[in-house]
Amino acid sequence: PALSSDPSRPATKLGNLRILNGQAHAVLKRLHADFNVAVATHETDSTPQIVAHTTGTYAGQPITADFIGGGLLALSDAATPYAVDLKLQNGPTHASLVGAVQNPLNFSGVNLKLQLTGTNMELLLPLIGIAFPKTPSYQLQGDLDYTDGKIHFRDFAGKLGSSDVQGNLEILPGRNRPVVNANVTSRQVDLADLGGFIGSEPGRLNTPNQTPEQRQAVARAE
């Protein structure tokens, strides 16, 4: 039926919506970002998907990202979880986000698995808006959700330099700055890995997965 504001006529219902060879170019000077996005819809076993590929620079570093999600119309279907599969690399930082969102327009019912690996958690700031001190190389994975106006990184576990870490992280987004509460434990901790919290170079010369630049900085500090 044709679009109409007459309440006596049936509302228009879209059965499908496709994007063919979609292209976008974003330039964000404040974020030192200049990247291109190619987006299209794919049909897989009669299930529409949004597929996007991003290349360029972000925070002054190369960025590539691949996203596979549910169809466009599924964004407004609160009865069906919206699938999310994101793989991203920004300089030395790698992120993977896989799972589903029950109601993506309201960002509720979030059930996602987050994996992060990189050389320094300080580099996460432009990606997630949270400032961390300088750290040695790390790898973390856990459950990401959003409830009661807070972002939760639950039951995460991984490595920070030579130390193992696990715990929970809660972020309250704020207008000026977010509030972060963390409960972190370690079975085996090397205090040198925490040097960034007191303004020192974190890690040691034999800390695993350090870059040559990080080892040089530690050598100078020692």
Side-chain angles (χ1 to χ4, degrees), residues 40 42 118 165 222:
H42 291 183
V165 291
E222 289 185 351

Side-chain angles (χ1 to χ4, degrees), residues 71-143:
L72 284 172
L73 298 182
L75 288 168
S76 59
D77 182 5
T80 304
Y82 185 84
V84 172
D85 187 340
L86 173 66
K87 303 291 189 297
L88 179 147
Q89 180 177 357
N90 184 209
T93 304
H94 297 250
S96 170
L97 192 62
V98 179
V101 181
Q102 184 69 42
N103 189 346
L105 292 184
N106 293 321
F107 203 57
S108 62
V110 179
N111 183 15
L112 299 167
K113 296 286 186 182
L114 174 63
Q115 289 186 319
L116 291 169
T117 62
T119 58
N120 179 4
M121 293 183 70
E122 200 175 33
L123 299 177
L124 290 172
L125 175 60
L127 286 172
I128 65 175
I130 305 297
F132 288 97
K134 185 183 292 186
T135 71
S137 297
Y138 65 93
Q139 55 182 23
L140 299 170
Q141 60 183 1
D143 300 324

